Amino acid sequence: QTKTGIALLYDEVSENAYDIRLKLTKEVLTIQKQDVVCVSGSDHSANHRTVTLRRQPVGGLGLSIKGGAEHKVPVVISKIFKDQAAEQTGMLFIGDAIIQVNGINVESATHEEVVHLLRNAGDEVTITVQYLREAPSFLKLPLGSPGPPSDHSSGTSSPLFDSGLHLNGNSTNTAPSSPSSPIANEPKYEKRWLDTLSVPLSMARISRYKTGTDKLRSNAFEVLALDGVSTGILQFYTAQESADWLRAMSTNISDLTLQNMKMANKCCSSSDQVIHMGWVNERLEGTDSSQLYKFKFLALKGSSFYIFSTPPVSTLDWVRAEKIYNLCEVLFKIHKLWLADDCWLQANLYLGIHQDFDLEDQRPYCFSVLVGHGKSHYFNVELGSELAMWEKSFQRAIFLEVQRTGSKTYMCSWQGDTLCFTVDFALGFTCFDSKTKNVLWRFKFSQLKGSSDDGKTRVKLLFQNLDTKQIETKELEFQDLTAVLHCIHSFIAAKVASVDPVFIDSQSIARRYMYSN
């Protein structure tokens, strides 16, 4: 998507916001600020301009001012009236900060002091100005060109209201003075939007939250490039504007991520393809730090689920992941949208792994990935569409891995005997002696009617005998029981998907949630 529009850049230190223009293209977000540039007549800097104004009997200097030291901002020109003295110079612009009046420095002057100087400066006033690129939004300076004449200015001055036509002062001339006008050889100036920062969107990330916290910014977010360069806090005038920009930028980032995946997959075998990758926030557990969340980059590739602190940009980067898990041994779980009829549970299976998380989390769009030894990772994304994509991608990646692998075998024991337990996509469950390889029992997936475990190492699997219809209980002990339960879960879910893929799609929690909203 391509898009342009006006926004505010919020400074968290000064708590001021500044007008900016955003330009979004397929690959880059550009931030522009207004400035005054010299377009002809001279190549010297437009930073400081010295202009002589001739006060007119009607309209005075032809400008209004706002601001002052009492508000920690310089006095700035807030209005320039059409066909009057200030406009006729061609060198003054709304947003110009007044640096000097008749040689007197006023950078630290109050609003009233500058008003007094301008009123009593005589018929010819020389001012030095510099365009204030970061004028605080509370000054409410218009972004457009000079406006029509106005007579709304009062005789009293205030730093946050325009002090204007009363700057006429007490002219000693009774005859009209000649109008201020640019000299032929004087440089010509224009106010323009200039690029100040370009943020590449490839592998960029977006955050609507104050760093590391659950505090949602109101109608605002931040975009961070792969190299860590930040746009700063982009603030919008309405919730709708904020949502539109968030969606547009997220779409472009997702499209670029898809391109990166395709490039990476050209270098990978068919069994080691990247299914999905992208930025998330991971909740940090067991820490007293105020940092509740940290950015992580997740990837589903081949047989593995990867967690990175920074995205992999080369083939060699894949070995430096913080964590790598086998996809058959993880369980994806959506939070806050979790429903009892989730597709995973439709396999008529209860494995005791459906525990709730006691997290006072204010963020929507959360999911966790349960891994071996009872551990888990808790993540958050910015948009419901991202949550739906992660749900779909985990399902697809796990199903593909189950079908590629075909079977997984785990060492286990019971009553002192060392056994092997195999989960096979075609055959179901098989238990055999690890030494003699003699098969002790075998059941199809459809024969599993329930299970229970002690939360540590021991599990009871309840199978129905096809001949007698009686329930047979098989007890086993595993070193990493959680991984085995996840593997059983993955194989059964993949079996259901292979039989009825439409049913699996119909059970997508995140997508159902999005459609209902």
Side-chain angles (χ1 to χ4, degrees):
Q1 293 190 28
T2 57
K3 191 175 173 70
T4 59
I6 302 297
L8 295 169
L9 186 62
Y10 180 70
D11 186 326
E12 290 185 300
V13 178
S14 68
E15 297 187 345
N16 287 329
Y18 310 102
D19 287 307
I20 56 170
R21 188 164 79 162
L22 298 177
K23 278 190 358 183
L24 177 68
T25 64
K26 182 180 176 182
E27 297 182 344
V28 177
L29 173 66
T30 302
I31 293 178
Q32 297 180 315
K33 293 180 183 177
Q34 277 193 322
D35 205 347
V36 172
V37 294
C38 180
V39 293
S40 68
S42 173
D43 59 356
H44 65 69
S45 170
N47 283 348
H48 286 77
R49 284 161 279 128
T50 299
V51 185
T52 299
L53 296 171
R54 296 180 184 88
R55 197 186 304 272
Q56 297 177 358
V58 178
L61 300 179
L63 55 82
S64 296
I65 60 173
K66 275 184 179 180
E70 61 267 55
H71 280 273
K72 298 180 182 177
V73 292
V75 171
V76 297
I77 297 174
S78 56
K79 287 183 183 176
I80 292 177
F81 297 96
K82 194 169 180 62
D83 297 328
Q84 295 185 18
E87 191 199 36
Q88 288 168 354
T89 67
M91 294 178 67
L92 294 175
F93 299 87
I94 291 172
D96 277 340
I98 299 176
I99 308 299
Q100 289 184 350
V101 176
N102 285 347
I104 300 171
N105 189 289
V106 294
E107 288 180 274
S108 302
T110 65
H111 183 86
E112 191 58 49
E113 287 169 343
V114 177
V115 169
H116 180 77
L117 267 176
L118 290 171
R119 268 189 191 151
N120 298 283
D123 293 333
E124 210 168 73
V125 184
T126 300
I127 61 173
T128 299
V129 297
Q130 178 180 13
Y131 188 73
L132 186 64
R133 295 179 74 186
E134 296 185 347
S137 60
F138 65 75
L139 290 175
K140 293 184 169 62
L141 300 181
L143 294 175
S145 52
S150 169
D151 56 2
H152 293 158
S153 298
S154 65
T156 57
S157 61
S158 165
L160 296 185
F161 293 92
D162 295 296
S163 298
L165 297 184
H166 61 281
L167 296 182
N168 288 358
N170 299 313
S171 176
T172 55
N173 293 338
T174 54
S177 58
S178 60
S180 307
S181 59
I183 303 169
N185 295 328
E186 282 291 308
K188 184 180 178 183
Y189 296 96
E190 284 183 7
K191 188 194 283 191
R192 292 182 178 175
W193 288 103
L194 302 179
D195 294 354
T196 58
L197 179 66
S198 291
V199 177
L201 295 177
S202 179
M203 301 289 196
R205 59 192 190 268
I206 298 175
S207 177
R208 295 185 296 152
Y209 294 86
K210 292 185 179 179
T211 307
T213 72
D214 279 338
K215 293 180 181 176
L216 184 69
R217 293 189 175 101
S218 178
N219 301 339
F221 56 83
E222 178 182 16
V223 182
L224 296 104
L226 177 60
D227 60 4
V229 171
S230 168
T231 57
I233 311 305
L234 305 177
Q235 200 164 46
F236 299 88
Y237 292 99
T238 66
Q240 186 62 53
E241 276 185 19
S242 178
D244 289 346
W245 275 98
L246 182 65
R247 274 192 292 267
M249 290 185 204
S250 295
T251 298
N252 289 11
I253 291 171
S254 296
D255 290 346
L256 291 169
T257 300
L258 194 59
Q259 284 184 23
N260 290 328
M261 283 168 48
K262 288 178 179 177
M263 291 293 290
N265 285 339
K266 287 181 180 179
C267 307
C268 302
S269 66
S270 58
S271 62
D272 199 30
Q273 297 282 293
V274 180
I275 301 297
H276 188 56
M277 60 184 185
W279 285 103
V280 299
N281 295 288
E282 181 174 16
R283 180 161 181 139
L284 305 178
E285 297 300 324
T287 174
D288 295 329
S289 166
S290 59
Q291 188 92 348
L292 298 176
Y293 279 89
K294 197 168 185 179
F295 278 115
K296 298 289 181 179
F297 192 86
L298 308 185
L300 303 172
K301 179 176 183 285
S303 62
S304 301
F305 164 50
Y306 295 82
I307 302 177
F308 296 91
S309 56
T310 57
V313 292
S314 71
T315 307
L316 297 175
D317 288 341
W318 289 91
V319 299
R320 59 171 180 78
E322 290 181 353
K323 301 282 185 182
I324 303 176
Y325 300 103
N326 183 277
L327 279 167
C328 288
E329 297 176 351
V330 302
L331 181 70
F332 177 90
K333 174 181 173 182
I334 287 178
H335 290 270
K336 298 195 176 178
L337 311 177
W338 183 255
L339 305 173
D341 62 346
D342 173 37
C343 68
W344 302 107
L345 300 182
Q346 288 294 336
N348 294 324
L349 180 66
Y350 180 71
L351 294 173
I353 50 181
H354 182 47
Q355 74 263 32
D356 290 322
F357 282 71
D358 185 21
L359 295 173
E360 295 180 3
D361 196 343
Q362 302 303 310
R363 299 188 179 203
Y365 314 130
C366 297
F367 67 91
S368 60
V369 180
L370 284 66
V371 297
H373 296 289
K375 296 181 179 179
S376 65
H377 296 272
Y378 189 89
F379 302 109
N380 153 259
V381 289
E382 297 291 337
L383 297 171
S385 56
E386 292 178 293
L387 184 63
M389 180 55 76
W390 278 113
E391 181 189 34
K392 181 179 179 181
S393 299
F394 262 96
Q395 283 184 355
R396 182 173 171 231
I398 290 171
F399 295 170
L400 285 173
E401 177 55 17
V402 167
Q403 290 168 347
R404 268 194 306 265
T405 304
S407 69
K408 284 191 76 73
T409 299
Y410 297 91
M411 296 294 293
C412 60
S413 63
W414 183 245
Q415 296 180 338
D417 293 329
T418 302
L419 308 174
C420 291
F421 175 75
T422 296
V423 187
D424 188 284
F425 188 69
L427 300 176
F429 306 103
T430 304
C431 186
F432 58 91
D433 188 289
S434 63
K435 295 176 183 176
T436 64
K437 308 301 180 186
N438 290 333
V439 174
L440 303 178
W441 48 263
R442 177 176 285 142
F443 294 97
K444 296 178 181 179
F445 288 124
S446 59
Q447 291 177 268
L448 181 64
K449 298 305 177 184
S451 70
S452 63
D453 64 84
D454 63 358
K456 297 174 184 176
T457 60
R458 188 175 298 184
V459 65
K460 288 183 181 179
L461 299 173
L462 308 178
F463 297 102
Q464 185 177 45
N465 187 299
L466 293 178
D467 297 324
T468 66
K469 306 301 181 185
Q470 298 297 309
I471 297 296
E472 295 184 20
T473 301
K474 304 297 182 184
E475 292 191 44
L476 298 170
E477 283 191 46
F478 295 91
Q479 189 175 359
D480 185 357
L481 177 60
T482 310
V484 177
L485 294 179
H486 291 173
C487 182
I488 294 173
H489 185 280
S490 297
F491 271 71
I492 292 181
K495 195 73 173 176
V496 172
S498 68
V499 174
D500 188 1
V502 176
F503 169 74
I504 291 293
D505 283 340
S506 72
Q507 297 300 303
S508 167
I509 299 169
R511 274 172 282 171
R512 253 189 300 161
Y513 173 80
M514 285 174 63
Y515 295 144
S516 68
N517 281 275

